[in-house]
Amino acid sequence: MSGMTGLALRSLRHRMTAQVATFLAVLLGTTLIGSFATLVETALALGPAAPDRDADRETLIIMGAVVGGWGSLIVLFSVASTVGLTAARRAGEIGLLRVLGATPRQARRLIRREALAVAVLGALAGAVLAAGTGWLLLDLLRGHSVSASVEYAAGPASLGAAAGLVVLTSVAAAAVAARRSTRAPAGVTLRDSDAETGRMRWYRVVAALVLIAYGVGGGVVTITVTANSDDPYAAMQTSGSCSILVGLGLALLAPLLLRWLAAPLAGLITGLGGQGAGYLAAYNARRRAHRLAAVLAPVIVLTSAAIGTLMLVSIDTRTLPGGTEDSDTINLLNNVVVGMASLFAAIMVVNAFAACVADRWAELRRLWLMGATPTQVRRSVMAEAGVVAVVGLVFGALGSLATVIPFSVARDEGVVPDAQLWIAPLVASVVVLLTLGSGRFAARATMRTALGEVRRPAT
Amino acid sequence: MTAPPVPFALEAQGLTRTFGAGTGAVYALDGVDLGFPRGTFTAVMGPSGSGKSTFLSCAAGIDRPSGGRVLVAGTDVTDWDEDRRSRLRRERIGFVFQDFQLMPYLTAEQNVGLPPRLAGRRPDRARVRGLLDLVGLADRAHHLPGRLSGGQRQRVAIARALVTDPAVVLADEPTGALDSATARDVLALLRACVDELGQTVVMVTHDPVAAAYADAVVFLADGRVAGRIEAPTADAVAARAAHLDDRAAHLDERAVRR
Ligand SMILES: Nc1ncnc2c1ncn2[C@@H]1O[C@H](COP(=O)(O)OP(=O)(O)O)[C@@H](O)[C@H]1O
Ligand SMILES: [Mg+2]
């Protein structure tokens, strides 16, 4: 046992860079979820004598539980995918350990403990930060959405719960990845780390379908039921989160989408004269869909959540110009959701891309050895970024419809909203810039490792 | 009257490569003059650290020599920039590595066709198939490297090295990761490249038996040429290699004692 832990800690030290993404994801995730959790704890601690106690309580709980809840879904998803990616990256090394005689159980334990160690560190730091950001969040609400007299009253309970949730998610994700990387016999593991066929597990497909069905169901309910409600916000409640749900569901299917679409897209990119770059990107995306899927997933969620929610706010302000007494809070809520989802997804895209490409430095060097110019090597990574951006935009936009169409119908604008349709291309261009930018960043950083040594000028 | 110059597929003139500077500088290559005539199979041997890999890297445009010249099929490539070196590697040099260096997400056939792809050409299907056939893997064309054995992977790598009909095939311990039976197949294949395709092969090896497949063996020691055997037998090679190893060990010992 302790030998295994020692090994885990040692291997952790050698893999610090690989764990940075996990650490950051856990840190930010805990900070975000923790901030909203403090609102709930503050609400529950409101004394009976507090003025406007019930109204404040309700606002804080809605804010904390609803916004925090949706946010948590995105955050936990991102944490899980990052941890999974890091654990999968260890597959080659794990294969070696197994050849040296480690049992599958030992190998799995190694991956889990490593994830646990990083997650606990990240979550502790995140909880400390969340105490501060939670206070700031409350301060932002005070005087607008809740009475100025509400006192910040959160502590270990909410922060601990948030940290615990993130740690649990991380360890579960690591366990799933560990199972995947140790399923085959030892020798095979070593080889498959090169090109895993990466079939999707059934529970992943089921989870994806449930999320999509739930999101589409919300849309249907919006059109058929809540559209007719007297409360103008009823339709928003049922449709607001649909784009996030469908986006998450599609993101879970990312490996599948890549496998289907990489080939035709690659044809397109190769046709543009990538000198083999598009060709390489296509086959890499298709045959190792699981790795690039870690980049694609946040792109889909980002696109879907951002287009969906921004269009929702746009339709809302157009069709309800005066607003109601709740409008301020509701707009703030929506903006917080968009901001949070975008920030998090953006960080994930950069992280996942960097991790995914850094892991392939030996392979990029191989291309160069085979006679690819440095420009071609970089282009092959950029072509992958292109594939991710296109697939992500298409499915992200599709996911956003789950919110946009029902809400637009509910507010009598018809299937297509009346104005501000430029939101979609605007979000799209931001996403493309983000994806290509992080691809470029990842390629640069990795090529320094891959080609640096040999390109050093003669001494 | 001077004899007409021998058409060398690969030639090194006064090749040096140093690592580091000042007193700590290591002379990985220290004035190597070697010519490899077209259509010959040459083995390069020498103690570990004698500069064999550095020599192949400099010849292939992977590494840059610190001094001297490299001529590929008579063309001086020493001062070529990075992009031209890349083109050199994919058009004029076939490189076979100890660890295969196949792209894991491309099938055997696609790996073989990669150099022309990188040159922006669609690989000649018949040629790729013909090469896979030559290396005995026609039935494995659609397998990913992960599903091939070590020997099969190395044969794919050899087919890839031949695909552009390069000026010279360079192999750095191509049998180093293979068992002896598989190694024999790979060596016979390299021999066939020379005998049947008229290729020029330069192969680094540690194994006297492998070296005996070559037409000649060149010995390197401390970055210098330390001898040559024509029409080598395994025994002759082993004797000479043992002598060089002893000398290297002796030098090491002296260095330690000092
Ligand atoms: N990148 C490098 N940096 C510093 N020294 C190197 C480097 N590559 C090779 N060397 C040194 O150059 C010498 C020759 O190395 P190498 O050509 O790999 O030997 P061989 O292949 O014959 O075993 C060795 O002393 C080695 O330590
Ligand atoms: Mg060597």
Side-chain angles (χ1 to χ4, degrees), chain A residues 453 456, chain B residues 19 26 28 46-55 172-173 204:
Chain A
E453 186 182 313
R456 198 175 47 194
Chain B
F19 290 103
V26 175
S48 168
S50 57
K52 306 180 295 293
S53 295
T54 306
F55 175 72
D172 195 352
E173 303 194 34
V204 165

Side-chain angles (χ1 to χ4, degrees), chain B residues 59-73:
Chain B
I62 293 170
D63 198 356
R64 280 177 194 269
S66 314
R69 324 293 314 167
V70 174
L71 283 77
V72 175

Side-chain angles (χ1 to χ4, degrees), chain A residues 191 194-195 275 279-280 283-284 287-288 363 366-374 376 454 456 458-459, chain B residues 18-19 62 65-66 82-83 86 89-90 97 101-107 110 117-118 144 146 153 160:
Chain A
R191 278 192 206 163
D194 278 347
Q275 278 225 330
Y279 171 82
L280 291 166
Y283 283 107
N284 182 50
R287 299 211 171 115
R288 287 197 299 196
E363 183 190 305
R366 198 171 297 172
L367 275 182
W368 175 81
L369 286 174
M370 287 300 95
T373 62
Q376 278 178 304
V454 287
R456 198 175 47 194
T459 41
Chain B
T18 52
F19 290 103
I62 293 170
S66 314
E82 185 49 47
D83 281 2
S86 293
R89 283 197 298 280
R90 71 189 179 216
F97 301 86
Q101 303 275 12
L102 299 178
M103 298 311 287
Y105 50 83
L106 297 181
T107 63
Q110 291 169 331
R117 283 264 180 212
L118 291 174
L144 289 175
R153 288 188 214 186
R160 177 180 63 185

Side-chain angles (χ1 to χ4, degrees), chain B residues 10-28:
Chain B
L10 173 69
E11 193 179 357
Q13 298 173 348
L15 204 59
T16 59
R17 174 68 168 106
T18 52
F19 290 103
T23 47
V26 175
Y27 279 78

Side-chain angles (χ1 to χ4, degrees), chain A residues 9-56:
Chain A
L9 286 177
R10 250 183 326 237
S11 102
L12 181 64
R13 221 170 302 133
H14 286 296
R15 280 309 203 103
M16 259 329 187
T17 45
Q19 299 288 357
V20 168
T22 301
F23 178 80
L24 277 179
V26 170
L27 174 84
L28 282 167
T30 312
T31 309
L32 278 170
I33 298 177
S35 313
F36 284 92
T38 60
L39 293 186
V40 177
E41 197 178 348
T42 298
L44 296 176
L46 273 182
D52 274 338
R53 175 176 185 265
D54 291 343
D56 285 349

